[in-house]
PDB file of all heavy atoms in Angstrom:
ATOM      1  N   ALA A1374      -8.230   8.499 -93.321  1.00 94.00           N
ATOM      2  CA  ALA A1374      -8.527   8.981 -91.971  1.00 94.00           C
ATOM      3  C   ALA A1374      -8.261  10.476 -91.895  1.00 94.00           C
ATOM      4  O   ALA A1374      -7.207  10.954 -92.326  1.00 94.00           O
ATOM      5  CB  ALA A1374      -7.645   8.256 -90.962  1.00 94.00           C
ATOM      6  N   LEU A1375      -9.237  11.222 -91.386  1.00 95.00           N
ATOM      7  CA  LEU A1375      -9.056  12.659 -91.159  1.00 95.00           C
ATOM      8  C   LEU A1375      -8.804  12.855 -89.669  1.00 95.00           C
ATOM      9  O   LEU A1375      -9.640  12.480 -88.839  1.00 95.00           O
ATOM     10  CB  LEU A1375     -10.308  13.429 -91.584  1.00 95.00           C
ATOM     11  CG  LEU A1375     -10.749  13.285 -93.052  1.00 95.00           C
ATOM     12  CD1 LEU A1375     -12.062  14.024 -93.291  1.00 95.00           C
ATOM     13  CD2 LEU A1375      -9.681  13.788 -94.010  1.00 95.00           C
ATOM     14  N   VAL A1376      -7.646  13.404 -89.316  1.00 93.00           N
ATOM     15  CA  VAL A1376      -7.310  13.614 -87.908  1.00 93.00           C
ATOM     16  C   VAL A1376      -6.928  15.076 -87.692  1.00 93.00           C
ATOM     17  O   VAL A1376      -6.559  15.780 -88.630  1.00 93.00           O
ATOM     18  CB  VAL A1376      -6.154  12.686 -87.445  1.00 93.00           C
ATOM     19  CG1 VAL A1376      -6.532  11.226 -87.601  1.00 93.00           C
ATOM     20  CG2 VAL A1376      -4.866  12.980 -88.205  1.00 93.00           C
ATOM     21  N   GLY A1377      -7.018  15.502 -86.423  1.00 91.00           N
ATOM     22  CA  GLY A1377      -6.680  16.885 -86.109  1.00 91.00           C
ATOM     23  C   GLY A1377      -7.524  17.358 -84.941  1.00 91.00           C
ATOM     24  O   GLY A1377      -8.477  16.686 -84.547  1.00 91.00           O
ATOM     25  N   PRO A1378      -7.178  18.510 -84.381  1.00 89.00           N
ATOM     26  CA  PRO A1378      -7.909  18.996 -83.209  1.00 89.00           C
ATOM     27  C   PRO A1378      -9.362  19.342 -83.530  1.00 89.00           C
ATOM     28  O   PRO A1378      -9.722  19.507 -84.701  1.00 89.00           O
ATOM     29  CB  PRO A1378      -7.124  20.258 -82.798  1.00 89.00           C
ATOM     30  CG  PRO A1378      -6.327  20.649 -83.997  1.00 89.00           C
ATOM     31  CD  PRO A1378      -6.092  19.408 -84.792  1.00 89.00           C
ATOM     32  N   SER A1379     -10.177  19.438 -82.475  1.00 87.00           N
ATOM     33  CA  SER A1379     -11.567  19.864 -82.662  1.00 87.00           C
ATOM     34  C   SER A1379     -11.596  21.229 -83.322  1.00 87.00           C
ATOM     35  O   SER A1379     -10.792  22.099 -82.991  1.00 87.00           O
ATOM     36  CB  SER A1379     -12.276  19.961 -81.299  1.00 87.00           C
ATOM     37  OG  SER A1379     -12.459  18.669 -80.795  1.00 87.00           O
ATOM     38  N   GLY A1380     -12.517  21.402 -84.260  1.00 89.00           N
ATOM     39  CA  GLY A1380     -12.650  22.695 -84.929  1.00 89.00           C
ATOM     40  C   GLY A1380     -11.680  22.910 -86.069  1.00 89.00           C
ATOM     41  O   GLY A1380     -11.624  23.996 -86.661  1.00 89.00           O
ATOM     42  N   SER A1381     -10.894  21.871 -86.411  1.00 93.00           N
ATOM     43  CA  SER A1381      -9.894  22.061 -87.476  1.00 93.00           C
ATOM     44  C   SER A1381     -10.509  21.998 -88.873  1.00 93.00           C
ATOM     45  O   SER A1381      -9.895  22.434 -89.840  1.00 93.00           O
ATOM     46  CB  SER A1381      -8.782  21.009 -87.348  1.00 93.00           C
ATOM     47  OG  SER A1381      -9.331  19.706 -87.421  1.00 93.00           O
ATOM     48  N   GLY A1382     -11.727  21.408 -88.976  1.00 94.00           N
ATOM     49  CA  GLY A1382     -12.384  21.337 -90.285  1.00 94.00           C
ATOM     50  C   GLY A1382     -12.614  19.916 -90.790  1.00 94.00           C
ATOM     51  O   GLY A1382     -13.074  19.715 -91.913  1.00 94.00           O
ATOM     52  N   LYS A1383     -12.310  18.900 -89.948  1.00 94.00           N
ATOM     53  CA  LYS A1383     -12.448  17.496 -90.376  1.00 94.00           C
ATOM     54  C   LYS A1383     -13.888  17.178 -90.780  1.00 94.00           C
ATOM     55  O   LYS A1383     -14.147  16.650 -91.856  1.00 94.00           O
ATOM     56  CB  LYS A1383     -12.031  16.535 -89.245  1.00 94.00           C
ATOM     57  CG  LYS A1383     -10.654  16.754 -88.687  1.00 94.00           C
ATOM     58  CD  LYS A1383     -10.301  15.722 -87.638  1.00 94.00           C
ATOM     59  CE  LYS A1383     -11.223  15.691 -86.437  1.00 94.00           C
ATOM     60  NZ  LYS A1383     -11.139  16.874 -85.575  1.00 94.00           N
ATOM     61  N   SER A1384     -14.836  17.483 -89.890  1.00 92.00           N
ATOM     62  CA  SER A1384     -16.245  17.163 -90.164  1.00 92.00           C
ATOM     63  C   SER A1384     -16.771  17.965 -91.344  1.00 92.00           C
ATOM     64  O   SER A1384     -17.594  17.473 -92.114  1.00 92.00           O
ATOM     65  CB  SER A1384     -17.117  17.443 -88.937  1.00 92.00           C
ATOM     66  OG  SER A1384     -16.856  16.478 -87.951  1.00 92.00           O
ATOM     67  N   THR A1385     -16.305  19.192 -91.474  1.00 95.00           N
ATOM     68  CA  THR A1385     -16.750  20.022 -92.610  1.00 95.00           C
ATOM     69  C   THR A1385     -16.323  19.382 -93.927  1.00 95.00           C
ATOM     70  O   THR A1385     -17.117  19.284 -94.873  1.00 95.00           O
ATOM     71  CB  THR A1385     -16.171  21.449 -92.496  1.00 95.00           C
ATOM     72  OG1 THR A1385     -16.515  21.979 -91.211  1.00 95.00           O
ATOM     73  CG2 THR A1385     -16.732  22.352 -93.573  1.00 95.00           C
ATOM     74  N   ILE A1386     -15.084  18.883 -93.990  1.00 97.00           N
ATOM     75  CA  ILE A1386     -14.612  18.199 -95.199  1.00 97.00           C
ATOM     76  C   ILE A1386     -15.502  16.987 -95.488  1.00 97.00           C
ATOM     77  O   ILE A1386     -15.966  16.772 -96.612  1.00 97.00           O
ATOM     78  CB  ILE A1386     -13.131  17.761 -95.048  1.00 97.00           C
ATOM     79  CG1 ILE A1386     -12.222  18.996 -95.017  1.00 97.00           C
ATOM     80  CG2 ILE A1386     -12.715  16.814 -96.172  1.00 97.00           C
ATOM     81  CD1 ILE A1386     -10.759  18.694 -94.672  1.00 97.00           C
ATOM     82  N   ALA A1387     -15.781  16.187 -94.435  1.00 95.00           N
ATOM     83  CA  ALA A1387     -16.598  14.973 -94.609  1.00 95.00           C
ATOM     84  C   ALA A1387     -18.004  15.322 -95.102  1.00 95.00           C
ATOM     85  O   ALA A1387     -18.556  14.656 -95.980  1.00 95.00           O
ATOM     86  CB  ALA A1387     -16.666  14.202 -93.295  1.00 95.00           C
ATOM     87  N   LYS A1388     -18.574  16.381 -94.549  1.00 94.00           N
ATOM     88  CA  LYS A1388     -19.949  16.749 -94.932  1.00 94.00           C
ATOM     89  C   LYS A1388     -20.006  17.322 -96.351  1.00 94.00           C
ATOM     90  O   LYS A1388     -21.007  17.150 -97.045  1.00 94.00           O
ATOM     91  CB  LYS A1388     -20.527  17.719 -93.899  1.00 94.00           C
ATOM     92  CG  LYS A1388     -20.891  16.981 -92.614  1.00 94.00           C
ATOM     93  CD  LYS A1388     -21.309  17.875 -91.471  1.00 94.00           C
ATOM     94  CE  LYS A1388     -21.730  17.016 -90.282  1.00 94.00           C
ATOM     95  NZ  LYS A1388     -21.771  17.731 -89.021  1.00 94.00           N
ATOM     96  N   LEU A1389     -18.931  17.968 -96.775  1.00 96.00           N
ATOM     97  CA  LEU A1389     -18.886  18.445 -98.167  1.00 96.00           C
ATOM     98  C   LEU A1389     -18.787  17.255 -99.125  1.00 96.00           C
ATOM     99  O   LEU A1389     -19.410  17.249-100.188  1.00 96.00           O
ATOM    100  CB  LEU A1389     -17.698  19.393 -98.376  1.00 96.00           C
ATOM    101  CG  LEU A1389     -17.819  20.776 -97.720  1.00 96.00           C
ATOM    102  CD1 LEU A1389     -16.513  21.545 -97.873  1.00 96.00           C
ATOM    103  CD2 LEU A1389     -18.969  21.582 -98.313  1.00 96.00           C
ATOM    104  N   ILE A1390     -18.016  16.225 -98.737  1.00 96.00           N
ATOM    105  CA  ILE A1390     -17.918  15.018 -99.567  1.00 96.00           C
ATOM    106  C   ILE A1390     -19.296  14.352 -99.670  1.00 96.00           C
ATOM    107  O   ILE A1390     -19.683  13.830-100.714  1.00 96.00           O
ATOM    108  CB  ILE A1390     -16.878  14.031 -98.982  1.00 96.00           C
ATOM    109  CG1 ILE A1390     -15.464  14.621 -99.088  1.00 96.00           C
ATOM    110  CG2 ILE A1390     -16.945  12.673 -99.691  1.00 96.00           C
ATOM    111  CD1 ILE A1390     -14.392  13.851 -98.322  1.00 96.00           C
ATOM    112  N   ALA A1391     -20.050  14.378 -98.563  1.00 94.00           N
ATOM    113  CA  ALA A1391     -21.379  13.745 -98.545  1.00 94.00           C
ATOM    114  C   ALA A1391     -22.431  14.592 -99.254  1.00 94.00           C
ATOM    115  O   ALA A1391     -23.570  14.160 -99.424  1.00 94.00           O
ATOM    116  CB  ALA A1391     -21.802  13.490 -97.102  1.00 94.00           C
ATOM    117  N   GLY A1392     -22.056  15.817 -99.641  1.00 94.00           N
ATOM    118  CA  GLY A1392     -23.002  16.672-100.364  1.00 94.00           C
ATOM    119  C   GLY A1392     -23.996  17.392 -99.470  1.00 94.00           C
ATOM    120  O   GLY A1392     -25.038  17.844 -99.923  1.00 94.00           O
ATOM    121  N   PHE A1393     -23.668  17.513 -98.162  1.00 93.00           N
ATOM    122  CA  PHE A1393     -24.586  18.217 -97.247  1.00 93.00           C
ATOM    123  C   PHE A1393     -24.668  19.703 -97.576  1.00 93.00           C
ATOM    124  O   PHE A1393     -25.688  20.335 -97.374  1.00 93.00           O
ATOM    125  CB  PHE A1393     -24.135  18.043 -95.791  1.00 93.00           C
ATOM    126  CG  PHE A1393     -24.355  16.662 -95.231  1.00 93.00           C
ATOM    127  CD1 PHE A1393     -24.847  15.634 -96.022  1.00 93.00           C
ATOM    128  CD2 PHE A1393     -24.074  16.386 -93.894  1.00 93.00           C
ATOM    129  CE1 PHE A1393     -25.052  14.362 -95.507  1.00 93.00           C
ATOM    130  CE2 PHE A1393     -24.277  15.111 -93.369  1.00 93.00           C
ATOM    131  CZ  PHE A1393     -24.762  14.097 -94.182  1.00 93.00           C
ATOM    132  N   TRP A1394     -23.534  20.260 -98.024  1.00 93.00           N
ATOM    133  CA  TRP A1394     -23.503  21.667 -98.437  1.00 93.00           C
ATOM    134  C   TRP A1394     -22.739  21.772 -99.740  1.00 93.00           C
ATOM    135  O   TRP A1394     -22.022  20.848-100.124  1.00 93.00           O
ATOM    136  CB  TRP A1394     -22.792  22.545 -97.392  1.00 93.00           C
ATOM    137  CG  TRP A1394     -23.405  22.504 -96.038  1.00 93.00           C
ATOM    138  CD1 TRP A1394     -24.651  22.919 -95.689  1.00 93.00           C
ATOM    139  CD2 TRP A1394     -22.791  22.019 -94.840  1.00 93.00           C
ATOM    140  NE1 TRP A1394     -24.860  22.716 -94.345  1.00 93.00           N
ATOM    141  CE2 TRP A1394     -23.734  22.164 -93.794  1.00 93.00           C
ATOM    142  CE3 TRP A1394     -21.548  21.486 -94.531  1.00 93.00           C
ATOM    143  CZ2 TRP A1394     -23.477  21.802 -92.481  1.00 93.00           C
ATOM    144  CZ3 TRP A1394     -21.293  21.114 -93.230  1.00 93.00           C
ATOM    145  CH2 TRP A1394     -22.249  21.274 -92.217  1.00 93.00           C
ATOM    146  N   ASP A1395     -22.865  22.895-100.417  1.00 94.00           N
ATOM    147  CA  ASP A1395     -22.045  23.177-101.599  1.00 94.00           C
ATOM    148  C   ASP A1395     -20.791  23.931-101.172  1.00 94.00           C
ATOM    149  O   ASP A1395     -20.837  24.745-100.240  1.00 94.00           O
ATOM    150  CB  ASP A1395     -22.828  24.042-102.600  1.00 94.00           C
ATOM    151  CG  ASP A1395     -23.881  23.235-103.345  1.00 94.00           C
ATOM    152  OD1 ASP A1395     -23.768  21.993-103.374  1.00 94.00           O
ATOM    153  OD2 ASP A1395     -24.827  23.843-103.877  1.00 94.00           O
ATOM    154  N   VAL A1396     -19.697  23.676-101.882  1.00 96.00           N
ATOM    155  CA  VAL A1396     -18.452  24.389-101.575  1.00 96.00           C
ATOM    156  C   VAL A1396     -18.611  25.870-101.902  1.00 96.00           C
ATOM    157  O   VAL A1396     -19.442  26.258-102.727  1.00 96.00           O
ATOM    158  CB  VAL A1396     -17.271  23.795-102.385  1.00 96.00           C
ATOM    159  CG1 VAL A1396     -17.014  22.355-101.983  1.00 96.00           C
ATOM    160  CG2 VAL A1396     -17.509  23.915-103.883  1.00 96.00           C
ATOM    161  N   THR A1397     -17.813  26.709-101.239  1.00 96.00           N
ATOM    162  CA  THR A1397     -17.800  28.143-101.544  1.00 96.00           C
ATOM    163  C   THR A1397     -16.893  28.402-102.742  1.00 96.00           C
ATOM    164  O   THR A1397     -17.177  29.230-103.598  1.00 96.00           O
ATOM    165  CB  THR A1397     -17.296  28.931-100.309  1.00 96.00           C
ATOM    166  OG1 THR A1397     -18.049  28.527 -99.166  1.00 96.00           O
ATOM    167  CG2 THR A1397     -17.459  30.426-100.503  1.00 96.00           C
ATOM    168  N   GLY A1398     -15.775  27.665-102.794  1.00 97.00           N
ATOM    169  CA  GLY A1398     -14.852  27.778-103.922  1.00 97.00           C
ATOM    170  C   GLY A1398     -14.271  26.417-104.231  1.00 97.00           C
ATOM    171  O   GLY A1398     -14.244  25.536-103.373  1.00 97.00           O
ATOM    172  N   GLY A1399     -13.800  26.209-105.478  1.00 97.00           N
ATOM    173  CA  GLY A1399     -13.266  24.911-105.863  1.00 97.00           C
ATOM    174  C   GLY A1399     -14.388  23.924-106.146  1.00 97.00           C
ATOM    175  O   GLY A1399     -15.531  24.319-106.401  1.00 97.00           O
ATOM    176  N   SER A1400     -14.083  22.623-106.063  1.00 98.00           N
ATOM    177  CA  SER A1400     -15.115  21.625-106.360  1.00 98.00           C
ATOM    178  C   SER A1400     -14.824  20.304-105.668  1.00 98.00           C
ATOM    179  O   SER A1400     -13.677  20.007-105.326  1.00 98.00           O
ATOM    180  CB  SER A1400     -15.196  21.391-107.868  1.00 98.00           C
ATOM    181  OG  SER A1400     -13.972  20.848-108.331  1.00 98.00           O
ATOM    182  N   VAL A1401     -15.899  19.525-105.448  1.00 98.00           N
ATOM    183  CA  VAL A1401     -15.785  18.147-104.982  1.00 98.00           C
ATOM    184  C   VAL A1401     -16.400  17.279-106.075  1.00 98.00           C
ATOM    185  O   VAL A1401     -17.519  17.550-106.528  1.00 98.00           O
ATOM    186  CB  VAL A1401     -16.553  17.923-103.660  1.00 98.00           C
ATOM    187  CG1 VAL A1401     -16.441  16.459-103.214  1.00 98.00           C
ATOM    188  CG2 VAL A1401     -16.040  18.837-102.560  1.00 98.00           C
ATOM    189  N   ALA A1402     -15.666  16.264-106.526  1.00 97.00           N
ATOM    190  CA  ALA A1402     -16.175  15.393-107.588  1.00 97.00           C
ATOM    191  C   ALA A1402     -16.208  13.951-107.112  1.00 97.00           C
ATOM    192  O   ALA A1402     -15.353  13.515-106.333  1.00 97.00           O
ATOM    193  CB  ALA A1402     -15.295  15.513-108.831  1.00 97.00           C
ATOM    194  N   LEU A1403     -17.205  13.212-107.575  1.00 96.00           N
ATOM    195  CA  LEU A1403     -17.323  11.782-107.301  1.00 96.00           C
ATOM    196  C   LEU A1403     -17.283  11.063-108.652  1.00 96.00           C
ATOM    197  O   LEU A1403     -18.104  11.349-109.527  1.00 96.00           O
ATOM    198  CB  LEU A1403     -18.643  11.497-106.579  1.00 96.00           C
ATOM    199  CG  LEU A1403     -19.013  10.028-106.342  1.00 96.00           C
ATOM    200  CD1 LEU A1403     -17.969   9.336-105.490  1.00 96.00           C
ATOM    201  CD2 LEU A1403     -20.374   9.931-105.659  1.00 96.00           C
TER     202      LEU A1403
END
């Protein structure tokens, strides 16, 4: 579960996991 205030980055993390965008730095692996 990702929790936190609006604008904290929860949805951005989820969308990076889904491959909607590429990360700027680091990596996401499946």
